[in-house]
């Protein structure tokens, strides 16, 4: 076991899993998806999907992880279902794909930390120039990958968890402070209205696909990261309660990030449809408005903490293929980390170039019926987050309900939760894994794939 490294039980699985869940997905991606998805209607769908469709998947992943103490591929074999190994391997590949572009954006966040420290508040208006400059953003991406390599190769226990315990609450406090500041600005209420008053005519298959992908992505579900983390959970820990806590914390932070951002967007007269640049375009102006030193301090601290949140997520994404290589192929941990990191970085190069540097990759594909082209990085997100993660959710819940079977899952859930049998939680999880997740997820995934990639207009 020692070879696997991993997380110290002492500081708790909830903290580590929350560290994986809370990241760029909450603070960078969620607000821009809301902006593109028409506002509050997207928020409502996202919340619904998190609690109804993603939560049972989280419970299942933790249970499989704790039962088997293994990486996603090894886990299915250990339960006696070697044929399902492919699902684990698929998840590992999907995570690798996600990390390839996640690392690029994490590099942007770190680069913005440097720009804030230098007092370059106009970086917001130069976002396009910034991402186009391949040597600079490439350099930041390499630096960020080195941070991740450093932590994962030491085995993930110790330092980073302790740091997360202090830094995450600081980030939350900072966001709350910024929410309060945002409320004092002109036009703030227009932002709040956009964010909180739903216009259900904004719902279509594209927004459904993004909200669903966002729910899985934000909670780190569907590819086995939480199976890996589940392998570090103590037998006397209550899995259902832990899953609820992680979900609430993650959703809560995303919600706060949106509450902070939209008043800023509206008070600066910016476009909610700003895509991947939304927070990077909006926030520097906000920090500048705080004035001189205060702006430098708050702006620098914000992007530093954001980078840190991203780091606890890149660590979890890298840990999955690494634990696979260590457990299944007996590769030495340090070697495995380097090997996987280099592969991930190379796969990420097209994403690095897809934000202005390469015309072909920036205008990579125009979906049938779409008005404007989609860049390569966003395209990878549509495939990996929005399609593969929910497909992973379908298969994991079907596996638990129909192959591994309810009794075995329940036995695992009862450990640490003696009153589980007969409880509301039991019925909720059972209904989720047997019917709701497989059925509803399948319908949503099939419809949204047909619409997005094949231009079929269903409604
Ligand atoms: N959930 C993280 C975020 O919101 C990203 C992430 C980390 C992730 N590990 C994952 C997404 C595993 C999918 C699967 O930033």
């Amino acid at each position: 076991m020692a070879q696997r490294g991993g997380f110290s039980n002492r500081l708790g699985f909830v903290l580590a899993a929350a560290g994986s869940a809370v990241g760029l997905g909450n603070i960078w991606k969620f607000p821009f998806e809301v902006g593109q998805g028409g506002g509050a209607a997207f928020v409502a769908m996202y919340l619904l999907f998190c609690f109804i469709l993603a939560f049972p998947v989280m419970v299942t992943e933790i249970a499989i992880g704790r039962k088997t103490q293994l990486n996603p591929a090894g886990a299915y074999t250990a339960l006696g279902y070697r044929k399902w190994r492919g699902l684990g391997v698929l998840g590992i590949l999907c995570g690798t794909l996600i990390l390839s572009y996640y690392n690029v954006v994490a590099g942007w966040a770190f680069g913005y930390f440097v720009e804030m420290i230098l007092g370059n508040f106009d970086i917001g208006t130069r976002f396009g120039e910034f991402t186009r400059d391949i040597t600079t953003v490439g350099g930041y991406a390499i630096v960020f990958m080195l941070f991740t390599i450093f932590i994962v190769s030491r085995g993930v226990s110790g330092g980073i968890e302790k740091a997360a315990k202090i830094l995450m609450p600081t980030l939350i406090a900072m966001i709350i402070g910024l929410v309060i500041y945002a409320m004092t600005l002109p036009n703030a209420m227009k932002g709040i209205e956009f964010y909180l008053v739903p216009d259900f005519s904004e719902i279509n298959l594209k927004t459904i696909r993004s909200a669903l992908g966002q729910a899985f992505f934000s909670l780190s579900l569907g590819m086995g990261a939480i199976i890996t983390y589940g392998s570090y959970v103590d037998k006397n820990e209550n899995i259902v309660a832990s899953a609820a806590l992680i979900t609430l914390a993650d959703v809560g932070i995303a919600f706060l990030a949106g509450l902070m951002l939209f008043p800023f967007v509206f008070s600066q007269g910016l476009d909610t449809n700003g895509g991947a640049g939304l927070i990077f375009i909006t926030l520097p102006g906000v920090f500048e408005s705080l004035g001189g030193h205060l702006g430098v301090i708050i702006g620098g601290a914000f992007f530093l903490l954001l980078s840190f949140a991203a780091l606890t997520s890149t660590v979890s994404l890298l840990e999955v293929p690494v634990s696979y290589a260590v457990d299944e192929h007996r590769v030495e941990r340090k070697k495995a980390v380097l090997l996987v990191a280099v592969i991930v970085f190379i796969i990420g190069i097209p994403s690095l170039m897809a934000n202005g540097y390469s015309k072909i990759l920036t205008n990579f594909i125009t979906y049938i019926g779409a008005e404007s082209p989609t860049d390569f990085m966003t395209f990878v997100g549509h495939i990996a987050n929005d399609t593969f993660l929910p497909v992973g959710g379908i298969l994991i819940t079907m596996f638990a309900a129909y192959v591994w079977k309810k009794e075995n899952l329940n036995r695992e859930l009862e450990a640490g939760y003696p009153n589980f049998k007969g409880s509301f939680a039991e019925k909720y999880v059972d209904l989720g894994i047997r019917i709701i997740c497989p059925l509803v997820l399948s319908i949503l995934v099939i419809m949204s794939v047909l619409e997005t990639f094949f231009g079929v207009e269903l409604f």
Side-chain angles (χ1 to χ4, degrees):
M1 282 308 286
Q3 168 78 327
R4 301 190 62 215
F7 302 84
S8 60
N9 285 325
R10 195 166 35 89
L11 271 157
F13 151 78
V14 170
L15 196 67
S20 161
V22 176
L24 295 169
N26 308 60
I27 292 158
W28 160 71
K29 201 166 198 296
F30 176 70
F32 94 65
E33 294 284 357
V34 173
Q36 286 184 328
F42 182 98
V43 179
M45 271 193 297
Y46 165 77
L47 293 175
L48 207 68
F49 292 163
C50 280
F51 289 105
I52 295 181
L53 300 175
F55 179 74
V57 176
M58 180 170 303
V59 170
T60 309
E61 284 200 26
I62 301 174
I64 292 177
R66 184 170 76 178
K67 174 80 193 162
T68 60
Q69 310 272 306
L70 280 168
N71 68 83
Y76 295 104
T77 316
L79 290 174
Y81 306 99
R82 228 192 118 74
K83 282 201 194 113
W84 284 78
R85 248 180 98 76
L87 173 56
V89 175
L90 206 72
I92 290 165
L93 293 177
C94 176
T96 308
L97 207 57
I98 291 177
L99 181 55
S100 77
Y101 81 81
Y102 197 92
N103 185 61
V104 171
V105 183
W108 297 351
F110 189 67
Y112 261 57
F113 158 66
V114 175
E115 297 289 339
M116 290 296 108
I117 293 294
L118 297 174
N120 296 337
F121 294 115
D122 64 333
I123 189 74
T125 57
R126 292 188 287 109
F127 174 72
E129 246 172 79
F130 174 79
T131 57
R132 204 178 308 138
D133 176 2
I134 201 84
T135 26
T136 311
V137 287
Y140 285 130
I142 290 176
V143 169
F144 208 90
M145 190 58 97
L146 289 175
F147 290 152
T148 312
I149 290 174
F150 177 71
I151 289 167
V152 178
S153 63
R154 289 174 62 224
V156 193
S157 63
I160 191 169
E161 292 176 347
K162 281 192 200 117
K165 216 174 181 176
I166 303 164
L167 295 178
M168 284 304 104
T170 315
L171 179 62
I172 297 168
M174 198 157 194
I175 293 174
I176 293 175
L178 287 167
V179 169
I180 296 169
Y181 175 57
M183 298 302 163
T184 66
L185 299 174
N187 283 333
M189 281 309 136
K190 283 211 181 104
I192 298 293
E193 197 182 313
F194 175 79
Y195 188 54
L196 295 181
V197 183
D199 169 2
F200 288 107
S201 69
E202 294 282 350
I203 295 183
N204 57 48
L205 280 173
K206 274 194 192 65
T207 56
I208 290 176
R209 189 208 64 221
S210 319
L212 185 64
Q214 180 61 22
F216 276 78
F217 178 75
S218 160
L219 291 165
S220 304
L221 293 174
M223 51 74 68
I226 300 296
I227 293 185
T228 306
Y229 276 41
S231 67
Y232 304 109
V233 183
D234 219 71
K235 276 288 177 203
N236 53 30
E237 214 163 324
N238 181 333
I239 291 179
V240 178
S242 302
L245 205 63
I246 297 162
T247 305
L248 283 172
D250 187 68
V251 168
I253 293 174
F255 186 78
L256 278 176
L259 205 57
M260 165 189 84
L261 202 74
F262 287 103
F264 286 146
V265 170
F266 278 78
S267 76
Q268 295 184 39
L270 295 170
D271 187 359
T272 51
N273 213 346
L278 192 62
I279 72 160
F280 293 105
I281 293 168
T282 308
L283 289 179
V286 172
F287 298 131
E288 183 170 28
S289 75
L290 294 171
H293 291 314
L294 189 64
V296 169
I297 294 168
I298 304 277
F302 181 88
F303 283 106
L304 186 64
L305 291 170
L306 180 61
S307 304
F308 191 82
L311 186 61
T312 54
S313 300
T314 54
V315 161
S316 92
L317 283 161
L318 190 61
E319 175 69 18
V320 178
V322 165
S323 69
Y324 169 72
V326 170
D327 293 343
E328 306 294 307
H329 298 286
R330 304 270 159 245
V331 183
E332 197 221 336
R333 188 172 181 87
K334 284 209 167 57
K335 262 197 211 131
V337 172
L338 268 182
L339 185 73
V340 177
V342 168
I343 294 172
V344 166
F345 188 81
I346 292 171
I347 301 175
I349 291 175
S351 291
L352 199 58
M353 304 198 312
N355 294 280
Y357 179 78
S358 151
K359 279 220 168 58
I360 296 176
L361 291 167
T362 305
N363 302 320
F364 183 64
I365 187 171
T366 304
Y367 297 134
I368 301 163
E371 282 154 25
S372 49
T374 300
D375 67 86
F376 180 81
M377 190 176 98
T378 309
F379 175 71
V380 173
H382 290 163
I383 303 271
N385 315 346
D386 296 359
T387 311
F388 285 176
L389 294 181
V391 168
I394 297 170
L395 295 173
I396 287 171
T397 48
M398 284 178 63
F399 171 80
Y402 300 109
V403 181
W404 193 34
K405 299 252 159 52
K406 179 182 164 178
E407 303 82 65
N408 292 309
L409 174 68
N410 280 5
R411 197 167 309 132
E412 194 54 40
L413 296 178
E414 274 164 35
Y417 186 179
N419 300 329
F420 179 68
K421 230 187 200 118
S423 66
F424 173 71
E426 185 200 353
K427 295 190 187 81
Y428 193 91
V429 171
D430 182 50
L431 195 65
I433 62 165
R434 272 194 309 115
I435 297 169
I436 298 187
C437 292
L439 193 68
V440 179
L441 282 174
S442 298
I443 293 172
L444 294 181
V445 168
I446 290 170
M447 289 198 316
S448 66
V449 164
L450 285 176
E451 149 113 32
T452 309
F453 301 113
F454 300 98
V456 181
E457 291 210 22
L458 291 157
F459 66 81

Coordinates of all heavy atoms in Angstrom, one line a residue, residues 20-26 98 102 216-221 223 225 250 313-314 316-317 389, ligand 1:
S20 N -10.4 17.9 -4.7 CA -10.4 17.5 -6.1 C -11.6 18.2 -6.7 O -11.5 18.7 -7.9 CB -10.6 16.0 -6.1 OG -11.1 15.6 -7.4
A21 N -12.7 18.2 -6.0 CA -14.0 18.8 -6.7 C -13.9 20.3 -6.9 O -14.2 20.8 -8.0 CB -15.2 18.4 -5.8
V22 N -13.4 21.0 -5.9 CA -13.4 22.4 -6.0 C -12.2 22.9 -6.8 O -11.0 22.5 -6.4 CB -13.3 23.1 -4.6 CG1 -13.2 24.6 -4.7 CG2 -14.6 22.7 -3.8
G23 N -12.4 23.5 -7.9 CA -11.3 24.0 -8.7 C -11.7 25.0 -9.7 O -12.7 25.7 -9.5
L24 N -11.0 24.9 -10.9 CA -11.4 25.8 -12.0 C -12.8 25.6 -12.4 O -13.5 26.5 -12.9 CB -10.4 25.6 -13.1 CG -9.0 25.9 -12.9 CD1 -8.1 25.4 -14.0 CD2 -8.8 27.4 -12.8
G25 N -13.3 24.4 -12.2 CA -14.7 24.0 -12.6 C -15.7 24.9 -11.9 O -16.7 25.4 -12.5
N26 N -15.4 25.3 -10.7 CA -16.4 26.1 -9.9 C -16.2 27.6 -10.2 O -17.2 28.3 -10.4 CB -16.1 26.0 -8.4 CG -16.1 24.5 -7.9 OD1 -15.3 23.7 -8.4 ND2 -17.0 24.2 -7.1
I98 N -8.9 15.3 -19.9 CA -9.4 16.5 -19.2 C -8.2 17.2 -18.6 O -8.0 18.5 -18.8 CB -10.3 16.1 -18.0 CG1 -11.7 15.6 -18.6 CG2 -10.6 17.3 -17.1 CD1 -12.7 15.1 -17.6
Y102 N -7.0 21.2 -18.8 CA -7.2 21.8 -17.5 C -5.9 22.5 -17.1 O -5.9 23.6 -16.6 CB -7.6 20.7 -16.5 CG -8.2 21.2 -15.2 CD1 -9.5 21.3 -15.1 CD2 -7.4 21.5 -14.1 CE1 -10.1 21.7 -13.9 CE2 -7.9 21.9 -12.9 CZ -9.3 22.0 -12.8 OH -9.8 22.4 -11.6
F216 N -21.1 16.8 -13.6 CA -20.1 15.7 -13.4 C -18.7 16.2 -13.3 O -17.9 15.8 -12.5 CB -20.2 14.7 -14.6 CG -21.3 13.7 -14.4 CD1 -22.6 14.0 -14.6 CD2 -21.0 12.4 -13.9 CE1 -23.7 13.1 -14.4 CE2 -22.1 11.5 -13.7 CZ -23.4 11.9 -13.9
F217 N -18.4 17.2 -14.1 CA -17.0 17.8 -14.1 C -16.7 18.4 -12.8 O -15.7 18.2 -12.2 CB -16.9 18.8 -15.3 CG -15.6 19.5 -15.4 CD1 -14.5 18.8 -15.9 CD2 -15.5 20.8 -14.9 CE1 -13.3 19.5 -16.0 CE2 -14.3 21.5 -15.0 CZ -13.1 20.8 -15.5
S218 N -17.7 19.2 -12.3 CA -17.4 20.0 -11.1 C -17.3 19.1 -9.9 O -16.6 19.4 -9.0 CB -18.6 21.0 -11.0 OG -18.7 21.4 -9.7
L219 N -18.0 17.9 -9.9 CA -17.9 17.0 -8.8 C -16.9 15.9 -9.0 O -16.8 15.0 -8.2 CB -19.3 16.4 -8.5 CG -20.3 17.4 -8.0 CD1 -21.8 16.8 -8.1 CD2 -20.0 17.7 -6.5
S220 N -16.1 16.0 -10.1 CA -15.0 15.1 -10.4 C -15.5 13.7 -10.6 O -14.9 12.7 -10.2 CB -13.9 15.0 -9.3 OG -13.4 16.3 -9.1
L221 N -16.7 13.5 -11.1 CA -17.4 12.2 -11.3 C -17.3 11.6 -12.7 O -17.1 12.4 -13.6 CB -18.8 12.3 -10.9 CG -19.1 12.6 -9.4 CD1 -20.6 12.8 -9.2 CD2 -18.6 11.5 -8.5
M223 N -15.2 9.4 -14.1 CA -14.0 8.7 -14.6 C -13.2 8.0 -13.6 O -12.1 7.5 -13.9 CB -13.2 9.8 -15.4 CG -12.8 11.0 -14.7 SD -11.6 10.9 -13.4 CE -10.1 10.5 -14.3
A225 N -12.0 9.2 -10.6 CA -11.2 9.9 -9.6 C -11.7 9.6 -8.2 O -10.9 9.4 -7.3 CB -11.2 11.4 -9.9
D250 N -19.2 21.8 -2.8 CA -18.8 22.1 -4.2 C -19.8 23.0 -4.9 O -19.5 24.0 -5.5 CB -18.6 20.8 -5.0 CG -18.0 21.0 -6.3 OD1 -16.8 21.4 -6.4 OD2 -18.7 20.8 -7.4
S313 N -7.0 20.0 -7.8 CA -7.7 19.2 -8.8 C -6.8 18.5 -9.8 O -7.0 17.4 -10.2 CB -8.7 20.2 -9.6 OG -9.6 20.7 -8.7
T314 N -5.7 19.2 -10.3 CA -4.8 18.6 -11.2 C -4.1 17.4 -10.5 O -3.9 16.4 -11.2 CB -3.7 19.5 -11.8 OG1 -3.0 20.1 -10.7 CG2 -4.3 20.6 -12.6
S316 N -5.5 15.4 -8.4 CA -6.5 14.3 -8.4 C -6.6 13.7 -9.8 O -6.8 12.5 -10.0 CB -7.8 14.7 -7.9 OG -8.7 15.1 -8.9
L317 N -6.5 14.6 -10.8 CA -6.6 14.0 -12.2 C -5.3 13.2 -12.6 O -5.4 12.2 -13.2 CB -6.7 15.2 -13.2 CG -8.2 15.8 -13.2 CD1 -8.2 17.2 -13.9 CD2 -9.1 14.9 -14.0
L389 N -18.0 11.8 -19.4 CA -18.3 11.7 -17.9 C -19.7 11.2 -17.6 O -19.9 10.2 -16.8 CB -18.0 13.0 -17.2 CG -16.5 13.5 -17.2 CD1 -16.4 14.8 -16.4 CD2 -15.6 12.5 -16.6
Ligands
LIG1 N1 -13.8 19.0 -10.3 C1 -12.6 19.7 -10.7 C2 -13.0 21.2 -10.9 O1 -14.1 21.5 -10.7 C3 -11.9 19.1 -11.9 C4 -11.6 17.7 -11.7 C5 -10.7 17.2 -10.8 C6 -12.2 16.6 -12.4 N2 -10.7 15.8 -10.9 C7 -11.6 15.4 -11.8 C8 -13.2 16.5 -13.3 C9 -12.0 14.2 -12.3 C10 -13.6 15.3 -13.8 C11 -13.1 14.1 -13.2 O2 -12.2 22.0 -11.2

